[in-house]
Amino acid sequence: MSERVVSDHRISRKLQFAVSAAVLCVAVTGCGSVADREGAAREAALDFHRAIEAGDFDRACGLLTPATRQALEQDDSCPTALHDADLPSGDQVGVVEVWGQAAQVGLGPDTVFLTVFDGSWLVRAVGCQPDPPGPYDCSVEAG
Amino acid sequence: MLRDNGLFIAFALLFLGALVGQALTGVAYYNDQQLAENLQPISVVRYVTSSSFAVDVAENWQSEYLQFLLYIVGTIYLVQRGSPESKEVGEEGLETDEEQKVAEHAEPDSPRWARIRGFRLAVYSRSLALVMGLVFGLSWLAQSIAGRAAYNEEQLNQLQDPVGWVRYIGSSEFWNRTLQNWQSEFLAVASMVVLSIFLRQRGSPQSKPVGSAHEATGVEG
C-alpha cells in the first residue's frame, strides 16, 4: 500500500510540475505553439470583422490598440469613425503570418495587422491594401 | 583547480556578465522602439526568448568563431615575418608526422586518436578547425533564422509583408549584420599580427619577450 501511495505521489508531483511549467511558460513568455498563436491572431481578426459586419462598432473599437483607437477619435467618436471608414467585408481567411509580437491576417479583400497587448491580439491597422514598394495603405491605422 | 583554469573561468564569467548586460540593455532598447511605434513593451524574459535577442547574439558568435577558424587554418599556410602569432618563414604547410608527433612518432602521453593512422587520426588532426567551423556554421545559420524572424516582426510593425528565408539571406539587412561583424574581426587579427612584431607585453604568451628582436618570428614570451 505504501508503495502505491509513493507511486501516486510521484505521478502527482510530476503532473504538478508539468502543469506548473506549462502555466509558467504561457504566463511568463506567452510561448504557445506557432499554430496556437496563428489561430489566436486569425480569431482576433475574424472577431473584429464580425463585429463590423454586425454593426457592433462599440465592440469593434474595443478590439483596436489604444493608439489606433486614439487616431480614430481625433475628429469623432471611435464607433462613428469606424462606421464612416466603410471597411471591406470578408471572412475568407487568407495568409496568416505571426512574427514575434506582430501578425498579419488576410481576410477577403482586406489585410489586418495586429499586435499583442496584455496577452491578447488587438487590431493595429485594418482596411489595408498593398501599395508596393511601400507599406500597405490602410484606411484605419495608428497615426 | 581555480589557478589551473583561471583563464577559462575568468573569460566564462566575463561572457556571462556581458550576456546579462546585453539582455538588460537590449530589452530597454527594444522597448524604446516599441513605445516609439505605439506598441507594448515586453518583459526581459520574453525578450531573451525573442528572435531580436537571438539574432544579436548569433551574429556576434558566428563572426568570432569565423575569426578563429580562419586564423587556425590561415596560419598553416601563411606566415608573417617577425610575428609571434606566425610560424617561421619556410615552415608553411602541414609539417611532417615527426614534427606533429603522430602515428609512429607519437609519444607515450599523446592523445589516443593521434597514435594510429586512419580515419581517427585524419579527424583528430583537423578537430580544432572542424569544431570552430561547425560552431561558426551553426551560429551563422541561427543568425539567418532568428534574423529573418526579427526582420519580419519589424516588417509587420511597419505594415509591410514578411519575407521568406531565401530572400532574407540575400537581403542587405542580413549581409550588413554579417559584414559589420566580419570587418572588425579581420581588422583585429591584422592589427595583432602586425603590432606584435614591434610591440611587447611583458609576461604574455601572446607577445614576444620584451627583449626579442623585431625580426624574431614564432617566439612567444
Side-chain angles (χ1 to χ4, degrees), chain A residues 49-127:
Chain A
H49 262 254
R50 285 191 204 110
I52 294 288
E53 280 175 27
D56 190 350
F57 296 106
D58 280 327
R59 175 166 164 65
C61 281
L63 300 171
L64 295 171
T65 65
T68 305
R69 194 176 167 141
Q70 204 175 0
L72 273 177
E73 286 171 339
Q74 282 189 346
D75 299 323
D76 227 326
S77 71
C78 176
T80 308
L82 263 190
H83 176 266
D84 295 346
D86 196 22
L87 294 169
S89 61
D91 54 6
Q92 199 76 13
V93 179
V95 65
V96 179
E97 295 273 2
V98 173
W99 295 98
Q101 307 298 293
Q104 176 194 45
V105 178
L107 275 182
D110 192 10
T111 298
V112 184
F113 288 88
L114 304 104
T115 186
V116 174
F117 251 89
D118 295 331
S120 302
W121 287 105
L122 294 182
V123 174
R124 186 161 177 250
V126 66

Side-chain angles (χ1 to χ4, degrees), chain A residues 28-30 67 97 99-104 113 115-118 124 133-136 141, chain B residues 30 34 37-40 42-43 45-46 49 148-149 152-153 156-162:
Chain A
V28 174
T29 67
E97 295 273 2
W99 295 98
Q101 307 298 293
Q104 176 194 45
F113 288 88
T115 186
V116 174
F117 251 89
D118 295 331
R124 186 161 177 250
Y136 276 68
E141 66 179 282
Chain B
Y30 181 92
Q34 288 286 102
E37 293 177 9
N38 291 316
L39 300 169
Q40 199 170 43
I42 60 173
S43 69
V45 175
R46 177 170 275 280
T49 57
R148 177 195 169 212
N152 280 346
E153 183 178 12
L156 293 183
N157 284 341
Q158 293 173 358
L159 307 183
Q160 291 186 289
D161 284 326

